[in-house]
Amino acid sequence: MTKLLLKPSALQPGDLVQIVAPASNLKADYLARGVAELEKLGFRVKYDPAILDKDRYTAGSDERRARELMDAFTNHEVKAVWAARGGYGVMRLLRKLDENLLRANPKIFIGYSDMTALHLYLYKRFGWVTFHGPMAAKDLAGGEAHYDKTTLLNALTKAEPMGEIVMTGTEVLHHGATVRGHLVGGCMSLLAAMMGTPDELDTTDAILFLEDTGTRPYQLDRMLQQLKLAGKFDSVRAIVFGEMSNCVQHVEQGYTLQEVLHDLTAELRVPVLFGLRSGHSELGNLTLPLGVMATLDSERGVLKIDEAAVV
């Protein structure tokens, strides 16, 4: 399948980015540190004064968060919409967004975790390339050790293919030929939750990236069974799992997560890797452009981004 992609404009030094909180509430000090890091990277930063609102487990009401997203995407001065953090709340907003206004205002969107729901929405409806990468009030707030500066800037600021991403520390669960496909995926909990919606994951001829955190092995097993039963692995070219931090039953469980994932993907007969540092990774969070063509060489442990993600 060839999907018509819409790529956002590259970020330039001094461009304005807006931090948004479409999911869980955040802390003021984390926000301040994230702002400082974005400014250190050379960008101007703004955010909604009400971004620190709290409504149960979300950053203010659904109406506030939906309005914040729409304002950020439709403000012509804003060149990138940057998620503050994940948690929960994006799915509550999808029916409150103005699809026609969004379609007319493509721009960079970056985040992970609960932002997976918005990645799916923007890709499925508009064909936008979006970015699975560090969030402002989490990874960026922790400083350079917590995100990979090179892949971040290469993805967002250079209108050229990112080239090879050496996946340090990854393990090969299943060997296979070098394959090429659209790079898609995100947080498994959200990919599963979005099944049956208009914006569910499209894995046709894809290199599928799957990651999560704090999820027990049997829960990951259940999500993979759901995706398998829904046909989402029928034409997948390869699977790359994230670091899957804290995805254990208990310390004496007697098996590894890698063993579980190895067995669950054996029948697919495609290359499968484990341990890519993107998303819920404590250190060196890599930025991955979603939707673009990529090549996976499982023998060398290299993911090559074959086309520019921005113009």
Side-chain angles (χ1 to χ4, degrees), residues 180-192:
R180 191 166 186 262
H182 288 283
L183 180 62
V184 301
C187 181
M188 287 180 64
S189 296
L190 273 297
L191 296 175

Side-chain angles (χ1 to χ4, degrees), residues 100-242:
N100 292 327
L101 275 177
L102 284 175
R103 181 179 286 107
N105 289 280
K107 58 187 61 174
I108 288 169
F109 174 69
I110 182 167
Y112 62 94
S113 190
D114 201 55
M115 300 307 119
T116 295
L118 193 52
H119 286 305
L120 292 175
Y121 176 98
L122 296 173
Y123 180 67
K124 192 75 173 282
R125 299 193 185 215
F126 315 137
W128 287 12
V129 172
T130 57
F131 300 86
H132 191 275
M135 295 190 281
K138 187 177 185 298
D139 314 273
L140 296 181
E144 282 193 35
H146 293 271
Y147 70 98
D148 186 84
K149 182 177 177 181
T150 299
T151 56
L152 177 68
L153 294 180
N154 284 350
L156 302 187
T157 69
K158 297 182 179 180
E160 59 190 48
M162 291 172 64
E164 291 189 353
I165 297 174
V166 179
M167 300 186 290
T168 305
T170 55
E171 304 173 42
V172 179
L173 301 186
H174 295 290
H175 293 271
T178 297
V179 296
R180 191 166 186 262
H182 288 283
L183 180 62
V184 301
C187 181
M188 287 180 64
S189 296
L190 273 297
L191 296 175
M194 290 288 285
M195 290 297 299
T197 74
D199 306 303
E200 71 177 31
L201 177 69
D202 181 355
T203 58
T204 307
D205 299 329
I207 294 174
L208 177 59
F209 173 63
L210 299 171
E211 66 95 33
D212 216 313
T213 187
T215 307
R216 294 180 178 183
Y218 78 86
Q219 294 171 318
L220 296 172
D221 184 330
R222 182 168 58 207
M223 292 178 208
L224 287 171
Q225 298 300 338
Q226 181 181 14
L227 293 173
K228 187 180 296 185
L229 290 168
K232 296 303 180 181
F233 296 144
D234 289 354
S235 68
V236 75
R237 300 285 177 85
I239 298 175
V240 180
F241 289 99

Side-chain angles (χ1 to χ4, degrees), residues 9-59:
S9 297
L11 269 182
Q12 304 294 330
D15 275 352
L16 181 65
V17 304
Q18 181 164 343
I19 299 173
V20 296
S24 290
N25 51 284
L26 54 146
K27 296 179 180 179
D29 57 334
Y30 282 62
L31 175 62
R33 295 204 303 269
V35 169
E37 191 67 21
L38 282 167
E39 291 175 341
K40 182 180 173 183
L41 289 171
F43 309 119
R44 294 180 296 121
V45 184
K46 68 168 292 188
Y47 54 84
D48 185 334
I51 197 171
L52 295 173
D53 282 3
K54 182 176 180 179
D55 185 4
R56 293 181 179 166
Y57 34 74
T58 60

Side-chain angles (χ1 to χ4, degrees), residues 171 173 217 247-248 253-263 274:
E171 304 173 42
L173 301 186
C247 289
V248 295
Q253 64 189 22
Y255 56 86
T256 68
L257 180 60
Q258 289 93 316
E259 289 170 343
V260 172
L261 298 177
H262 172 278
D263 292 350
F274 176 92

